[in-house]
Amino acid sequence: MSSDNRLDLEFAYTTYQDSCRDLYSPHYYCRRPLGHEGVHAAGFGASRVRWEHQPDHAPHLLS
């Protein structure tokens, strides 16, 4: 199973309340489960975005 397929399954079975929500921009936020290992991820298909957590990044608010 590809990492994209694994992420699709994680997103499908992770409620918003149980998702990580590491904020990356006003439009992308982590949809992986709380406490996941590895990179953060959001989006689907060609719009998928992955990023490393930066502990000193300023938080963004979703508009």
Side-chain angles (χ1 to χ4, degrees):
M1 181 181 298
S2 74
S3 64
D4 279 339
N5 288 342
R6 280 197 190 98
L7 287 172
D8 287 344
L9 285 173
E10 284 187 19
F11 295 175
Y13 289 101
T14 303
T15 64
Y16 180 79
Q17 181 178 0
D18 294 331
S19 64
C20 173
R21 298 197 300 261
D22 180 73
L23 301 181
Y24 173 68
S25 80
H27 305 289
Y28 292 106
Y29 53 95
C30 186
R31 282 287 289 120
R32 298 188 73 190
L34 283 170
H36 68 82
E37 293 185 7
V39 297
H40 295 289
F44 290 90
S47 299
R48 174 107 54 213
V49 177
R50 294 174 176 85
W51 66 96
E52 296 283 345
H53 179 72
Q54 301 296 323
D56 58 347
H57 73 80
H60 298 281
L61 298 176
L62 297 173
S63 52

